[in-house]
Amino acid sequence: MHAYVIGNVAVDETIRVEQWPLAGASIFGSHGSSDLGGKGANQAVVMARCGLSTTLVAPVGVEFRAQSIAERLAAEPVECRLLRQEGRSSDFSIIFTTPDGENAIVTTTDAAENLRPEDALLAIREAQPGDLAVFQGNLSEVTTEALLREARRRSIVTAFNPSPLRPSFQDLWPLVDLAFLNAGEAMALTGESSDAAAAVLHARGVRDVVLTLGADGALLSGGGAPLRVAAMPANVVDTTGAGDTFMGVALASAFLRGTRLDELALIHATRASALTVSRKGTLGAFPSIEEMRAILAHL
Ligand code: ATP
């Protein structure tokens, strides 16, 4: 069994500022740092660090950032198919943070928005029935729908995290086997919360629904009665990537054991995301391979 994550990769550049830059002003920044992010890369790296055989299919540009992305991903146990988009820049975020912990983020989506369905389909051509294909909201609607349709046609299990949110995602549910949403996404897409939101998605054809509820934990609705897993107490520093850690670990835990999503998968995901929220950064904050091994050994 092999997992394919088809999504975005982005370079996150963080700069500390004392006050927000105003139009026309040049100001000083400090504490500059750079990390790899993008929901596609996040989820693929998490799954690969868990020991699940994983390929990331992601669009990049043709400039220096593409090189830097390739080098950083080479340090991870994930196979990468970085699809170069001629004439475009790789996606990146500029994150301004202030000493009181506020932030403002500007993100480009030139590469992700312009990935053509035919290029992405080519990159997953050898996927087999029973493999897993994982999607988020960053690619264009046309490409996301084409990939979901093809995966369904070939009996590849589909997992979908509708973030960033687009209203048209409502139409994709019949193509989705496993859905991961936070409370805001569930409300926006179903008009319901909690168990009622899961019921709406089941009625549209989704087999298993996982709702993440931040510090209130997570809910799984699928095989039997809905079950809740409480969040683990954590010294919260930065919640970036908590949802991606949760989804990646829950999927890896279940697929490595050859089961459906279950309570143990949510417990593993809860433990891993408690580590992520206790550290600053994106990929750099996710549990390491050794930490994942220890988390997944918990039975
Ligand atoms: P993000 O967009 O920040 O990546 P998300 O909104 O997709 O996150 P959340 O529901 O906020 O996802 O968080 C996912 C999981 O991370 C939760 O189910 C929980 O297990 C863990 N988590 C999030 N916030 C906290 C917290 N404050 N304390 C402990 N665990 C947390």
Side-chain angles (χ1 to χ4, degrees), residues 1 52 130 207 250-262 265:
M1 182 268 156
L52 189 68
R207 190 180 73 194
L251 288 172
S253 167
F255 277 82
L256 284 168
R257 289 180 290 119
T259 65
R260 269 179 83 156
L261 287 168
D262 60 4

Side-chain angles (χ1 to χ4, degrees), residues 182 212-215 217-218 231-232 234 236 239-244 246 270 273-274 277:
N182 68 21
T212 61
L213 308 166
M232 252 183 94
V236 180
T239 60
T240 309
D244 294 333
F246 196 96
T270 298
S273 11
V277 301

Side-chain angles (χ1 to χ4, degrees), residues 39 161 163 181-183 185 211-219 229-236 239-246 266 269-271 273-274 277:
K39 295 186 74 66
N161 171 213
S163 170
L181 316 81
N182 68 21
E185 289 149 4
L211 294 181
T212 61
L213 308 166
D216 290 331
L219 180 143
V229 171
M232 252 183 94
N235 179 15
V236 180
T239 60
T240 309
D244 294 333
T245 305
F246 196 96
L266 263 64
T270 298
R271 288 174 170 241
S273 11
V277 301

Side-chain angles (χ1 to χ4, degrees), residues 175-189:
L175 303 170
V176 174
D177 296 308
L178 317 171
F180 287 76
L181 316 81
N182 68 21
E185 289 149 4
M187 179 55 79
L189 290 170

